[in-house]
Amino acid sequence: MNINRSFCAIFLARFIACGAVIALPQLMRASLGASFVEAARVIDTRCISCHDSETREAGIDLTPLLEKSNSSYGQYTRLWVKAEEMVSRGEMPPAEDGSLAVSERAAIEGWFEQSFVLRMGEPHVGPTPLRRLTRYELENTLEDVLSVTLKPPYRDTITGYLEKSTIQSLVPSDIPGESGFDNDAHRLGSLKPPLKEISEAVHFAIERFGDDEAAKRAVLGVDAIPDDLTDDQILDFISKFLARACRSDPERVKEYAAAYQRQYQRHVEVSLDCRKSLMHVFEMILVSPDFLYRIEETRGNDTPYPVTGWELATRLSYFLWSTAPDEELLRLGIDGSLLRNDVLKSQVDRMLNSPKRLALAESFAAQWLGFETLLSNRDFFVDERWNRETYDEVLFFFDELIESDRSILDLVQSDWTYRRASALRGQRHGYERIPSGYMKQRYADVLSERENGSNKKKQRYDPPVLVKTKDDREGGIITSAAIMRLTASKNRTSPIRRGVWVLNTVIGKTLEAPPDIPSLQEAREMLALNESPSVAEVIKQHVSRTECIHCHQAIDPLGLGLENFAPTGVWRTHYPDKAPIESSGVMPNGRAFETPRQMKQLLIDIYRDEIVTNFVARLLAYALGRQLQPFDRVTLESIVSEVKKDGCKVNTAIEQIVLSPQFRYRQDD
Amino acid sequence: MRRKSYVIPRRTLLKGAGVSLALPLLDIMSGNAVSGKDADRPPVRLCVLYKGCGVNPHSWDIVGGSETNFEMSRILQPLAAVQDDILVLGNLDNQGSSDHMDAPGTFMSATKHKDPDRYSFDQRVADRIGHETPIKSMQLTADNVWKQHPWLNILSYDRNNQPLRGQHDPQAVFNEMFRDNVRSGRQDDLLSVLDGVKDASSSLARKVSVRDKRVLDSYFDSVRDVEKSIQQNRQNSRASGFDKQLASIDPSLKVGNLGERIKAMLDLITLAFWTDSTRVVSCMLANTNSRSHYDFMGVNAEFHYVSHHVRNKQVLPDYDKINIWHTGQLRYLIERLKSISDGDGTLFDNSLILWGSGIKHGDYHSLTDLPLVVTGGGGGKIELGRHVRYPQAQPYANLLLTLMQIMGTDIPGIGDSTEPLSGITEKANFTPSNPDDGSWKIVKSDNETLTAKGLLRISLDAEVEYYQLRLSDNSDLEIRIPYMNNHKLRFDRCVGKVVTVTGKYKEEAGRKVVTALTKAELQTP
């Protein structure tokens, strides 16, 4: 769908400037005149012959779309999305049946836009779901609110990468939702919170806090809680604690402070121990919904309205840091200045310069690219050091994109990369290192909060090192050891799995499972192959049939082009059975490649727009905590175009997401 | 409660004093099992073991024999030693279709693919009997966790169709049973915390939207759940000191590979039943898209990869090996449970175990004729030592209904169930479908060709798979034919049936081996 650029500008400007929706009669859109009758006629004459309830080509029955009542959000939204996508990409109807005329396409796109993208001809942000803290966010937030350390020290992990923190072993991990991320509001909202486990985690954290003088100084302003407390002192402690824990305006903090003071009184009458009772009340606060959920006050308005300053501070902080806002951010939220563009931008800038931004790599990138599996799934275990090192190569790579404000396309191909320290020992590795001062700064940046200060060399784990890539192989994340391992089984590579991974994850193409596949034996006979064909020959069987070629001409060259990487990412020229590897190939556009670098360059040439759009879409879904919907299109396309104008920078994508109406506004049903 | 039944050997208690002896967990279980309040009638414990990825039907199906006198198939071989303790079921169909993600859910609820009704049968039982034990029910996940696809490993769903995730860490399972802080002393604290939260948060509902309020409702539901479970625990608290004794033991539950994890989980199930910590357990041994690598038991491949054995025949030996390994694990559990006395019998007698896969055919993901083993005496209600193949396909849901009834519940139905399944609690006495009438023999032969009639089976040797024609004199005629020969005659479909074949043969070590077929005719019933 082609969204008019100036339209986006108007939309954004209006949202950002006044926040209230005024009817803009001058807004002329093709879709305003779209008619259901026209769209239905096109579907009926051009699609139904293959996709009726009996033929159901590819398992798709489009007859429900002929009902006007199905053109609104509900049971058939997905079907409409799919149909519109195929039509707008020009993939359906197939060329041999005659492509759609421009006017036919416009009829479907226009009706779709009017029904699903816009509402009453206006863009909107969709109903905002309530968000609960994930386990990862809970642990970070407890650390920050209580000023204690709960995670194991980073550098001390060679011997026990599987060792979980206490919080992680008490609280179950979260189930990712439709968005692909575990911070998915709809998934978290549809499941009961594991309250018993969360209570145990909070209890553990509070015990830590109680034993920690520095923490108490930071949170309450005293090293130790006196034996006797006056009412004012109690209220002061509770207020200070609530201000950190509840991410809210002073008024609400005041209201809650009074409520929790009553709880304190009730408890202390029985316990006769004011310290104990105070800790007890702190525990209540950290188990309360105001802490565990990101409560936003409703205005009961189904047109978008801006969230309050402290709500925006909270959204921003959980997006970039996966934790509660710090003092500065919350202050700017409470006094309202965060609602100004310039302040908001400078806060994004500040936050991306803070070590806490590592959350984007640890949570967003690790889930999107799936490399968290290296630490969480025992089956991908090579050895403790290897798993930690290869995980860190990608973690640091992603973080470097933000640190050095690099392009999204560097994810595919870059002239720099991170190499694990163990691969750089000795003189012959041949990498050009970045001056060590820079790396020291980087470690201090990234690891400052995780250092355990151990100076025993043997116990220390050395993080990966930034180097210039040296040959035609490395660069980007696709060819990293982590991804090569994740897309292979332990003993063999699977070119199809790797090709599909690249298309799904990096380019954002969803592929349908193939219909009846011939057996390898049959295919071998059909192709008159010998009994032990090479991998490339076997793969070619896939494209021997017309129904397969459509997907496999895109999948296969990508997978075969990566065959030089063994399951652990090590470069190889022969298979274990000594057969030589043929990794050259031809992309769907007919361009040939010889090396992985060339292949990755062609990937960028062919799929540049898709790669950028996919990155922005995933990051936006992560930021909003929900799967993107058609009504997000206007915003998505506007962000993508801003990002492309600015050299496809990762940080521009982050900033544009934060500035978008989806991120700053709220809407009720 | 019979306190005298807690017998913990002295040497294990040494460890509580800081002596770190790595003893297998099961060594601590030497006394009688704990059998709840009514010691004369030990309770029945339900255990569901899910082994995904299906089977190669030829390697699974028992061909020939009678209900009580039958030969184990290739995959069931490890269970031959406990043949009198199992009930193998055939021709039970689940409804609809299935896929990788959905297979465990459909297996546990007998509902159709993507049906939102997922209330699983183990939870239906737990909702009725779970209040009698400290832990209502336990969910375990032995297979590796694939975070992006958590559904793969989820078996149990509660009455609101909420998924109950399995505990993956054996140590955490042990802790939940014996080291739960909430049960051991923090109960009042936690109740007071939750009370305070409810009080202080009472104004919250007014500030949030209708949609958000629904989400917050689930928070307060969870509060009520915790309160309820604390009250329940109080009613069922065990002899004091016992948990402490067990809690002080180092159960040596650090596991390396999947094999060790499965063994640890089976040990923990035994321990849970022994201590009557819970009476309902479900355990995911292998999910239906398992990328787990089985090199720990000698197969250098992923389970799911080798399960697609039709398109890639080379993987078949490995596929069978893994499934054989899994039936070996079931045997381990059976033997463990049998080694512990409970009431007048053993823990095994008072267990009810369903072992199976949500799909039958590893490559086609079929839901008909599921591979199922029922074992455990079910409190004396299960007639064991049998192979029952229903003459007409029966709804698999009927089996779940029957199991729920054996567990003492009056649940009227589940999924597409119609009535309790016959042939579980009593002998089925079906007429055998392929009776040997004495005519199975080599009908004629010359120097090159022969014609023979018999019951077609598949050899028990996965490495060199070949067909066998069982003859009336109990000998087997080998049939080794090329793929295309098989393919064109669709010969494979004849397995398990009486067939008359004609083809070329050769002599090999004094035995006839058929090398090519010209004809294969099924006997018409």
Side-chain angles (χ1 to χ4, degrees):
Chain A
M1 190 178 57
N2 237 330
I3 295 280
N4 183 319
R5 281 269 311 120
S6 63
F7 166 74
C8 294
I10 293 170
F11 169 61
L12 287 166
R14 209 183 60 213
F15 257 109
I16 290 158
C18 45
V21 175
I22 326 156
L24 285 182
Q26 73 270 32
L27 196 68
M28 290 307 290
R29 304 262 306 156
S31 67
L32 289 181
S35 94
F36 172 72
V37 179
E38 265 306 290
R41 192 190 57 77
V42 177
I43 294 172
D44 199 15
T45 53
R46 300 303 312 277
C47 314
I48 289 293
S49 58
C50 293
H51 296 294
D52 62 349
S53 52
E54 271 175 26
T55 319
R56 293 174 60 91
E57 193 94 335
I60 291 169
D61 170 15
L62 293 178
T63 45
L65 304 195
L66 301 176
E67 292 290 328
K68 192 173 183 184
S69 57
N70 293 335
S71 290
S72 57
Y73 277 95
Q75 196 185 347
Y76 295 106
T77 309
R78 274 182 194 212
L79 191 60
W80 255 113
V81 169
K82 181 95 201 152
E84 196 266 352
E85 186 183 278
M86 297 312 272
V87 166
S88 66
R89 279 203 206 145
E91 289 185 17
M92 281 287 153
E96 59 266 31
D97 295 342
S99 302
L100 293 185
V102 175
S103 64
E104 289 177 317
R105 228 166 103 167
I108 290 182
E109 288 175 355
W111 177 247
F112 179 83
E113 178 168 296
Q114 186 178 316
S115 323
F116 292 100
V117 179
L118 306 177
R119 200 182 47 178
M120 318 281 277
E122 297 283 347
H124 64 122
V125 303
T128 311
L130 177 61
R131 301 181 65 176
R132 170 157 67 81
L133 303 193
T134 62
R135 178 178 76 177
Y136 179 71
E137 291 166 340
L138 175 70
E139 185 168 38
N140 289 339
T141 311
L142 286 175
E143 279 192 335
D144 289 346
V145 166
L146 297 172
S147 189
V148 294
T149 307
L150 301 170
K151 293 179 188 169
Y154 181 85
R155 285 210 184 202
D156 205 21
T157 49
I158 309 181
T159 50
Y161 89 98
L162 284 171
E163 211 169 283
K164 292 173 176 175
S165 72
T166 307
I167 304 293
Q168 283 171 5
S169 59
L170 287 170
V171 182
S173 68
D174 302 288
I175 298 178
E178 302 279 336
S179 63
F181 299 102
D182 64 6
N183 68 0
D184 190 295
H186 295 295
R187 174 76 74 226
L188 287 163
S190 74
L191 303 174
K192 280 187 206 168
L195 204 53
K196 194 181 96 177
E197 292 81 359
I198 290 173
S199 310
E200 288 308 292
V202 165
H203 181 69
F204 169 80
I206 287 281
E207 278 185 338
R208 275 280 174 90
F209 173 71
D211 296 338
D212 188 336
E213 279 183 15
K216 275 180 287 200
R217 192 163 48 240
V219 177
L220 306 174
V222 292
D223 288 355
I225 296 162
D227 287 334
D228 273 317
L229 287 173
T230 65
D231 284 358
D232 283 351
Q233 275 175 312
I234 290 156
L235 189 61
D236 177 52
F237 284 151
I238 291 178
S239 302
K240 276 181 178 150
F241 194 86
L242 273 168
R244 294 173 76 96
C246 284
R247 314 172 286 263
S248 188
D249 63 319
E251 223 168 281
R252 201 174 338 161
V253 167
K254 216 169 149 188
E255 181 195 327
Y256 276 124
Y260 283 109
Q261 193 177 16
R262 284 195 294 276
Q263 297 298 330
Y264 170 85
Q265 301 295 3
R266 197 188 289 175
H267 193 263
V268 82
E269 277 167 27
V270 183
S271 78
L272 303 174
D273 180 340
C274 60
R275 266 181 233 144
K276 202 174 156 192
S277 293
L278 198 58
M279 291 300 156
H280 193 72
V281 166
F282 290 167
E283 218 169 302
M284 279 181 197
I285 293 169
L286 298 184
V287 174
S288 76
D290 278 276
F291 176 74
L292 296 176
Y293 292 82
R294 289 157 54 182
I295 306 284
E296 292 178 349
E297 247 175 84
T298 179
R299 286 196 208 163
N301 196 339
D302 68 357
T303 48
Y305 55 92
V307 294
T308 64
W310 59 89
E311 286 165 357
L312 183 59
T314 304
R315 286 186 178 190
L316 184 57
S317 184
Y318 279 97
F319 173 33
L320 302 184
W321 286 350
S322 296
T323 187
D326 63 359
E327 244 178 274
E328 177 178 337
L329 185 61
L330 192 59
R331 181 168 44 77
L332 294 172
I334 288 170
D335 72 20
S337 45
L338 189 64
L339 299 172
R340 286 186 4 227
N341 267 13
D342 54 335
V343 177
L344 187 54
K345 279 185 185 175
S346 73
Q347 282 302 304
V348 170
D349 200 44
R350 176 181 76 90
M351 293 172 77
L352 291 182
N353 276 307
S354 152
K356 288 187 188 174
R357 62 142 194 268
L358 194 64
L360 281 169
E362 264 187 352
S363 180
F364 166 69
Q367 291 185 73
W368 167 41
L369 302 170
F371 62 90
E372 65 169 1
T373 304
L374 287 173
L375 299 190
S376 65
N377 189 329
R378 186 83 210 179
D379 219 37
F380 287 88
F381 183 84
V382 174
D383 67 49
E384 281 156 4
R385 182 181 282 271
W386 191 91
N387 279 53
R388 165 58 74 178
E389 284 181 333
T390 51
Y391 171 94
D392 271 355
E393 284 177 350
V394 191
L395 190 81
F396 273 73
F397 187 101
F398 189 86
D399 189 65
E400 182 74 29
L401 295 173
I402 299 169
E403 160 76 23
S404 302
D405 197 11
R406 291 191 187 265
S407 160
I408 293 164
L409 299 170
D410 276 19
L411 282 159
V412 176
Q413 180 61 300
S414 60
D415 56 6
W416 57 276
T417 193
Y418 273 85
R419 285 296 277 153
R420 46 192 182 275
S422 63
L424 297 176
R425 292 221 174 91
Q427 303 300 310
R428 292 161 60 97
H429 57 72
Y431 286 100
E432 186 185 335
R433 288 195 192 215
I434 305 299
S436 64
Y438 177 77
M439 280 320 295
K440 267 195 188 138
Q441 186 52 47
R442 288 283 288 125
Y443 297 148
D445 243 29
V446 177
L447 305 174
S448 67
E449 308 208 328
R450 309 275 179 86
E451 285 284 17
N452 69 335
S454 164
N455 284 321
K456 285 183 199 153
K457 231 188 162 172
K458 273 190 182 163
Q459 282 181 15
R460 279 173 73 103
Y461 161 71
D462 290 322
V465 178
L466 181 60
V467 295
K468 297 216 162 139
T469 51
K470 62 168 180 172
D471 49 32
D472 273 346
R473 306 165 190 174
E474 294 174 331
I477 48 100
I478 297 173
T479 49
S480 66
I483 301 302
M484 290 295 90
R485 173 69 193 94
L486 289 167
T487 53
S489 94
K490 216 178 248 182
N491 59 328
R492 52 183 278 279
T493 54
S494 164
I496 304 296
R497 198 182 268 170
R498 283 180 173 172
V500 169
W501 186 89
V502 173
L503 284 172
N504 276 340
T505 311
V506 181
I507 297 167
K509 273 199 175 181
T510 44
L511 301 167
E512 305 287 332
D516 37 79
I517 305 167
S519 81
L520 291 182
Q521 183 73 36
E522 282 166 346
R524 232 168 253 158
E525 282 162 8
M526 284 189 305
L527 290 168
L529 288 177
N530 59 37
E531 267 302 311
S532 52
S534 74
V535 173
E537 283 173 316
V538 171
I539 298 295
K540 279 173 195 145
Q541 293 167 7
H542 280 86
V543 289
S544 63
R545 307 199 318 178
T546 47
E547 64 265 39
C548 307
I549 196 162
H550 181 68
C551 291
H552 277 277
Q553 65 173 355
I555 299 171
D556 300 350
L558 298 177
L560 286 170
L562 296 168
E563 277 292 88
N564 283 118
F565 297 93
T568 50
V570 173
W571 184 263
R572 61 182 183 180
T573 54
H574 290 80
Y575 289 104
D577 65 3
K578 308 277 186 267
I581 285 164
E582 309 156 45
S583 59
S584 57
V586 181
M587 294 298 242
N589 69 350
R591 300 264 305 273
F593 61 86
E594 293 292 328
T595 66
R597 176 175 288 271
Q598 288 170 2
M599 185 195 80
K600 289 184 280 189
Q601 194 50 54
L602 286 175
L603 260 183
I604 293 177
D605 292 350
I606 299 171
Y607 299 111
R608 185 190 173 86
D609 283 1
E610 283 93 335
I611 293 166
V612 174
T613 305
N614 176 52
F615 178 84
V616 173
R618 305 257 188 175
L619 191 57
L620 182 60
Y622 173 80
L624 302 177
R626 61 172 173 80
Q627 188 183 31
L628 296 190
Q629 298 292 337
F631 54 70
D632 295 313
R633 273 195 193 181
V634 182
T635 291
L636 177 64
E637 288 174 21
S638 145
I639 297 170
V640 168
S641 101
E642 288 300 314
V643 170
K644 283 202 284 201
K645 272 198 294 189
D646 195 24
C648 301
K649 300 260 184 66
V650 170
N651 292 357
T652 308
I654 293 171
E655 187 183 271
Q656 287 298 317
I657 285 173
V658 172
L659 293 174
S660 75
Q662 257 69 0
F663 194 79
R664 299 167 69 171
Y665 285 68
R666 200 188 143 74
Q667 183 179 320
D668 302 302
D669 288 278
Chain B
M1 184 151 286
R2 300 183 304 172
R3 286 173 203 220
K4 62 178 167 46
S5 65
Y6 301 124
V7 181
I8 298 178
R10 230 185 100 253
R11 59 186 179 126
T12 52
L13 288 178
L14 278 179
K15 300 205 305 163
V19 184
S20 183
L21 296 168
L23 287 175
L25 180 60
L26 276 248
D27 278 12
I28 64 177
M29 292 185 250
S30 61
N32 279 345
V34 180
S35 282
K37 287 167 182 148
D38 188 357
D40 297 332
R41 279 183 37 227
V44 182
R45 289 89 156 172
L46 175 69
C47 170
V48 189
L49 299 171
Y50 186 93
K51 178 218 67 78
C53 287
V55 293
N56 168 26
H58 294 332
S59 309
W60 172 267
D61 291 337
I62 292 171
V63 174
S66 69
E67 185 174 346
T68 51
N69 184 11
F70 55 95
E71 264 177 61
M72 287 298 204
S73 64
R74 188 190 297 165
I75 293 175
L76 290 166
Q77 275 301 317
L79 292 167
V82 290
Q83 192 161 338
D84 291 342
D85 299 312
I86 61 169
L87 169 57
V88 184
L89 297 173
N91 222 3
L92 295 182
D93 294 359
N94 205 349
Q95 54 174 342
S97 64
S98 188
D99 67 5
H100 297 127
M101 302 288 169
D102 223 18
T106 52
F107 184 75
M108 298 297 285
S109 61
T111 48
K112 278 186 185 154
H113 182 44
K114 290 190 173 157
D115 189 327
D117 176 13
R118 271 295 131 85
Y119 188 16
S120 56
F121 86 98
D122 63 319
Q123 288 308 302
R124 290 173 198 246
V125 172
D127 282 339
R128 282 161 180 82
I129 67 166
H131 61 276
E132 294 171 20
T133 48
I135 299 169
K136 183 175 153 189
S137 70
M138 289 203 314
Q139 290 76 44
L140 312 176
T141 300
D143 203 356
N144 286 296
V145 175
W146 192 247
K147 200 182 168 199
Q148 288 92 331
H149 303 293
W151 309 109
L152 282 173
N153 279 323
I154 292 173
L155 284 166
S156 302
Y157 290 78
D158 73 9
R159 62 165 75 236
N160 301 315
N161 301 310
Q162 298 242 354
L164 302 174
R165 303 178 66 189
Q167 180 55 262
H168 183 58
D169 177 2
Q171 182 65 52
V173 179
F174 183 84
N175 293 352
E176 196 197 343
M177 279 196 273
F178 308 113
R179 296 181 184 170
D180 188 323
N181 287 329
V182 174
R183 268 203 309 283
S184 62
R186 271 217 344 113
Q187 297 180 344
D188 292 332
D189 255 15
L190 182 57
L191 283 178
S192 148
V193 164
L194 295 178
D195 249 13
V197 169
K198 277 192 291 188
D199 227 27
S201 307
S202 55
S203 63
L204 188 59
R206 274 179 274 127
K207 292 176 184 153
V208 300
S209 68
V210 180
R211 182 188 276 257
D212 292 358
K213 195 179 160 299
R214 278 200 297 269
V215 174
L216 286 176
D217 284 345
S218 75
Y219 169 89
F220 290 107
D221 282 349
S222 193
V223 170
R224 273 186 291 279
D225 284 354
V226 177
E227 290 170 339
K228 216 169 132 188
S229 84
I230 289 176
Q231 283 156 8
Q232 195 174 307
N233 275 314
R234 283 194 175 142
Q235 286 161 14
N236 297 303
S237 67
R238 285 181 292 225
S240 63
F242 176 59
D243 279 8
K244 268 190 197 150
Q245 277 180 317
L246 275 167
S248 67
I249 289 166
D250 173 8
S252 303
L253 285 168
K254 291 249 183 296
V255 294
N257 59 41
L258 177 64
E260 289 166 22
R261 195 181 294 272
I262 286 176
K263 184 172 170 296
M265 291 301 189
L266 297 177
D267 285 349
L268 286 164
I269 291 170
T270 313
L271 183 64
F273 286 174
W274 175 59
T275 52
D276 205 25
S277 296
T278 187
R279 293 175 195 161
V280 178
V281 178
S282 68
C283 180
M284 176 60 77
L285 303 171
N287 67 55
T288 297
N289 196 24
S290 180
R291 275 188 71 182
S292 290
H293 207 99
Y294 277 66
D295 47 0
F296 61 88
M297 48 67 69
V299 170
N300 196 14
E302 294 171 0
F303 194 8
H304 176 245
Y305 174 75
V306 299
S307 73
H308 284 277
H309 61 284
V310 173
R311 291 162 206 167
N312 186 3
K313 277 272 179 202
Q314 290 162 359
V315 300
L316 187 54
D318 283 344
Y319 183 34
D320 278 351
K321 261 189 218 163
I322 293 176
N323 275 324
I324 290 167
W325 182 84
H326 271 291
T327 50
Q329 302 312 299
L330 178 60
R331 173 179 158 181
Y332 172 79
L333 179 65
I334 291 171
E335 287 173 342
R336 274 303 185 193
L337 292 171
K338 287 184 77 165
S339 72
I340 296 167
S341 47
D342 182 32
D344 295 334
T346 67
L347 208 45
F348 174 82
D349 300 328
N350 299 316
S351 298
L352 179 58
I353 299 164
L354 172 65
W355 183 100
S357 167
I359 58 169
K360 170 74 179 266
H361 195 290
D363 210 332
Y364 303 149
H365 298 177
S366 55
L367 273 77
T368 50
D369 190 13
L370 293 177
L372 300 165
V373 176
V374 171
T375 179
K381 290 191 177 138
I382 306 277
E383 182 74 28
L384 293 169
R386 295 181 301 136
H387 164 233
V388 176
R389 169 160 283 278
Y390 293 89
Q392 266 96 43
Q394 300 292 313
Y396 160 73
N398 286 355
L399 172 64
L400 299 187
L401 179 62
T402 310
L403 298 183
M404 291 192 294
Q405 291 183 349
I406 293 172
M407 288 306 295
T409 68
D410 55 359
I411 297 161
I414 183 169
D416 61 341
S417 69
T418 52
E419 59 187 350
L421 194 61
S422 65
I424 302 293
T425 54
E426 74 293 314
K427 269 192 77 178
N429 287 323
F430 296 131
T431 329
S433 49
N434 296 307
D436 181 0
D437 57 6
S439 69
W440 300 354
K441 59 185 178 198
I442 295 175
V443 183
K444 63 179 182 191
S445 73
D446 56 31
N447 286 342
E448 280 185 347
T449 62
L450 61 71
T451 299
K453 182 183 175 191
L455 179 66
L456 189 68
R457 319 197 313 164
I458 282 199
S459 69
L460 288 179
D461 183 355
E463 302 281 351
V464 278
E465 185 174 84
Y466 54 88
Y467 298 96
Q468 291 173 322
L469 208 60
R470 174 57 60 94
L471 306 180
S472 292
D473 62 5
N474 246 7
S475 69
D476 288 313
L477 174 67
E478 279 183 39
I479 301 173
R480 299 179 194 251
I481 53 173
Y483 174 81
M484 281 317 285
N485 191 187
N486 183 337
H487 188 65
K488 281 179 184 144
L489 286 173
R490 298 183 167 253
F491 186 55
D492 206 48
R493 289 184 316 157
C494 305
V495 173
K497 294 169 182 151
V498 177
V499 64
T500 305
V501 297
T502 305
K504 282 187 186 166
Y505 76 94
K506 62 177 181 184
E507 294 275 350
E508 220 176 65
R511 297 162 57 107
K512 290 189 172 67
V513 176
V514 179
T515 55
L517 285 179
T518 50
K519 227 162 83 179
E521 277 176 348
L522 284 176
Q523 173 183 274
T524 43

